[in-house]
């Protein structure tokens, strides 16, 4: 059988720098674990605009549709701020998400013990934390019609957005949360505002339906999203997988992610429907942007991008044990006190470069054999 394919889209700013470290790790898995990938690379964002006048060409879009997984660095930068909205770098990313129909956005909040002091919460509340927020990504209030700003009858204006969810939109994201939970702690907490929103009542009923009919073995609970926000900062370790809509997921995933400290540590995955080979359409990317303030200086932390590749190993390539190996290598490096500049605490020390962090992770992988 052909090796699985990965399309790498490094993008702009620190994107190519952090992706170069992921390349080292992909090579390591090929050489040392006989896990070979057919890797190709292309342009997205400002880099694509510079070369082709658009942030994503049709050819690259077609390659992304055909790939078993897409790994993206980051897009954007001040150079492109004045471009027309239609060709801004971010449009390239939005086009990927939309045309691949990536409805399930996975944002882990995982706290490495060595970084527990970075959290704004007490160490014992976050040490060892490992939760996953599943956010519905392609529907809800960010997309619902009617929307817009128009004059009202009193000489003022009215702004309208519509929260709209269908049965199938809720069921498919619920399924992806239950599937995830089965590979983790077997618990899902669904969050909405069923107390004040009809779309929330439908959400709760449909998630319960998927549970009762398809995943009765997974533990399911429901929580109002505002209570959920409180519980996330009070005692986050009570959760395993949280599934929620686009708007609440936007807020709750940022909140949960920040429980763990630095932006340079946060990976994400966006998954769609299964392809003919059974793998889901998938885009993996760090949560951070292109960090123009540090681009080209070898200061970027590549761990968010490396952990995004670990997610690809787990969710696209069914290599959970190898994903664990990579995450443990990152943990070992951090435990050794290796830090990029963004991970330096008040006690100071000498930060390592992006490349040195990548090399240290490869060395820790070697040590894991
Ligand atoms: P940003 O995430 O790029 O940077 C925020 C801060 O975090 C900066 O100080 C940066 O130096 C630091 N930082 C981010 N990633 C880091 C890493 N890996 N290692 C060390 N430090 C890191 O957000 P921003 O400054 O608001 O946006 C910069 C550009 O990125 C903008 O053009 C924005 O539109 C774009 N952006 C893109 C994405 C994406 O591609 N998914 C996401 C967010 C922002």
């Amino acid at each position: 059988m052909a090796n699985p394919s990965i399309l790498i889209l490094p993008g702009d700013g620190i994107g190519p720098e952090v992706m170069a470290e992921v390349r080292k790790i992909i090579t390591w898995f090929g050489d040392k674990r006989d896990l070979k990938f057919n890797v190709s690379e292309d342009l997205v964002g400002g880099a694509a605009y510079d070369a082709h006048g658009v942030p994503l060409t049709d050819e690259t879009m077609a390659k992304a549709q055909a790939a078993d997984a897409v790994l993206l660095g980051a897009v954007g930068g001040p150079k492109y701020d004045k471009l027309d909205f239609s060709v801004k770098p971010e449009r390239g990313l939005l086009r990927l998400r939309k045309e691949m129909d990536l409805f399930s956005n996975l944002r882990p909040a995982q706290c490495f013990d060595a970084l527990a002091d970075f959290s704004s919460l007490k160490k014992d509340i976050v040490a060892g934390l490992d939760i996953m927020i599943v956010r519905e990504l392609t529907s809800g209030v960010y997309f619902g019609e009617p929307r817009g700003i128009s004059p009202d009858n009193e000489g003022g204006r009215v702004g309208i957005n519509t929260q709209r969810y269908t049965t199938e939109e809720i069921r498919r994201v619920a399924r992806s949360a239950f599937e995830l939970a089965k590979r983790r702690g077997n618990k899902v907490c669904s969050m909405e505002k069923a107390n004040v929103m009809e779309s929330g009542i439908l959400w709760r009923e449909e998630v319960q339906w998927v549970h009762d009919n398809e995943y009765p073995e997974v533990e399911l609970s429901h929580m109002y999203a505002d209570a959920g926000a409180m519980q996330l900062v009070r005692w986050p370790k009570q959760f395993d997988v949280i599934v929620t809509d686009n708007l609440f997921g936007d807020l709750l995933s940022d909140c949960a992610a920040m429980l763990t400290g630095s932006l340079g540590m946060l990976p994400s995955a966006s998954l769609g429907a299964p392809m003919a080979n059974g793998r889901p359409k998938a885009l993996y990317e760090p949560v951070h942007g292109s960090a123009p303030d540090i681009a080209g200086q070898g200061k970027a932390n590549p761990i968010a991008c490396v952990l995004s590749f670990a997610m690809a190993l787990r969710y696209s390539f069914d290599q959970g044990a190898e994903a664990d190996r990579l995450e443990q290598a990152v943990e070992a490096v951090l435990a050794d006190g290796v830090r990029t500049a963004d991970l330096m605490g008040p006690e100071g020390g000498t930060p390592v470069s992006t490349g040195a962090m990548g090399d240290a992770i490869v060395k820790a992988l070697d040590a894991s054999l």
Side-chain angles (χ1 to χ4, degrees):
M1 233 167 56
N3 296 329
S5 60
I6 296 180
L7 174 64
I8 292 189
L9 301 173
D12 309 319
I14 63 168
E17 298 169 46
V18 294
M19 202 56 90
E21 304 315 308
V22 175
R23 282 266 196 176
K24 291 179 187 169
I25 285 157
I26 294 176
T27 303
W28 185 90
F29 276 99
D31 292 347
K32 304 283 174 72
R33 302 298 299 157
D34 203 25
L35 210 57
K36 300 207 189 308
F37 297 99
N38 179 5
V39 180
S40 59
E41 189 165 318
D42 216 319
L43 302 173
V44 69
Y49 177 81
D50 287 340
H52 305 293
V54 286
L56 188 77
T57 64
D58 292 344
E59 292 73 32
T60 311
M61 186 66 238
K63 278 190 211 169
Q65 293 282 23
D68 288 315
V70 180
L71 288 185
L72 187 136
V75 297
K79 183 178 163 196
Y80 308 104
D81 281 350
K82 298 219 158 58
L83 288 182
D84 184 71
F85 185 69
S86 63
V87 289
K88 272 193 185 295
E90 292 75 11
R91 303 302 300 174
L93 181 52
L94 292 176
R95 182 174 176 198
L96 282 166
R97 287 181 184 153
K98 182 162 188 287
E99 293 191 21
M100 291 168 76
D101 197 13
L102 304 171
F103 56 83
S104 179
N105 181 224
L106 277 48
R107 295 261 307 257
Q110 199 174 9
C111 188
F112 293 97
D113 281 350
L115 297 182
D117 285 330
F118 269 78
S119 176
S120 50
L121 298 188
K122 291 194 197 84
K123 192 170 175 167
D124 66 311
I125 293 188
V126 292
L129 178 73
D130 180 10
I131 62 181
M132 177 74 79
I133 306 244
V134 178
R135 166 190 172 191
E136 199 290 325
L137 200 59
T138 52
S139 185
V141 75
Y142 294 160
F143 295 93
E145 300 280 349
R147 64 185 295 159
I149 301 176
S150 53
D152 69 8
N153 295 332
E154 280 101 46
R157 295 187 300 161
V158 57
I160 297 176
N161 290 94
T162 303
Q163 167 84 331
R164 183 178 187 280
Y165 271 107
T166 66
T167 294
E168 200 36 49
E169 285 169 346
I170 300 168
R171 288 186 182 179
R172 65 183 187 173
V173 75
R175 284 186 189 106
S176 99
F178 287 120
E179 283 295 331
L180 272 171
K182 278 174 37 177
R183 300 184 194 202
R184 299 172 40 98
N186 211 39
K187 276 199 318 194
V188 171
C189 180
S190 170
M191 295 189 187
E192 29 53 22
K193 291 282 288 175
N195 49 342
V196 285
M197 294 168 75
E198 284 77 5
S199 59
I201 296 173
L202 186 74
W203 182 280
R204 184 175 284 223
E205 290 175 356
E206 294 298 345
V207 172
Q208 188 68 48
W209 187 93
V210 173
H211 171 268
D212 296 350
N213 289 278
E214 299 175 18
Y215 298 92
E217 72 281 17
V218 180
E219 191 184 316
L220 171 66
S221 60
H222 301 274
M223 210 178 263
Y224 297 138
D226 50 342
M230 275 197 286
Q231 292 300 329
L232 261 179
V233 291
R234 192 185 72 85
W235 188 239
K237 285 185 225 174
Q238 69 185 281
F239 297 112
D240 176 25
V241 174
I242 293 173
V243 62
T244 187
D245 73 14
N246 204 341
L247 173 63
F248 298 139
D250 197 359
L251 309 181
L252 293 171
S253 65
D254 269 16
C255 171
M258 271 301 138
L259 297 176
T260 65
S262 165
L263 200 48
M265 294 292 301
L266 302 172
S268 79
S270 301
L271 306 180
M275 300 185 281
N277 61 11
R279 295 194 174 102
K281 285 262 163 89
L283 173 75
Y284 299 90
E285 55 179 326
V287 167
H288 63 71
S290 58
D293 52 335
I294 57 166
Q297 300 171 35
K299 287 184 183 166
N301 181 354
I303 292 178
C305 205
V306 168
L307 294 176
S308 301
F309 175 62
M311 292 186 83
L313 286 173
R314 182 170 284 120
Y315 300 120
S316 282
F317 304 121
D318 227 2
Q319 295 287 342
E322 299 301 333
D324 287 346
R325 180 192 296 280
L326 179 50
E327 286 165 359
Q328 281 157 13
V330 168
E331 175 126 49
V333 165
L334 295 170
D336 274 353
V338 181
R339 301 273 190 277
T340 42
D342 57 308
L343 302 180
M344 301 307 299
E347 67 279 6
T350 311
V352 302
S353 67
T354 309
M357 178 58 92
D359 292 341
I361 296 170
V362 167
K363 229 169 125 191
L365 283 170
D366 276 334
S368 76
L369 293 177

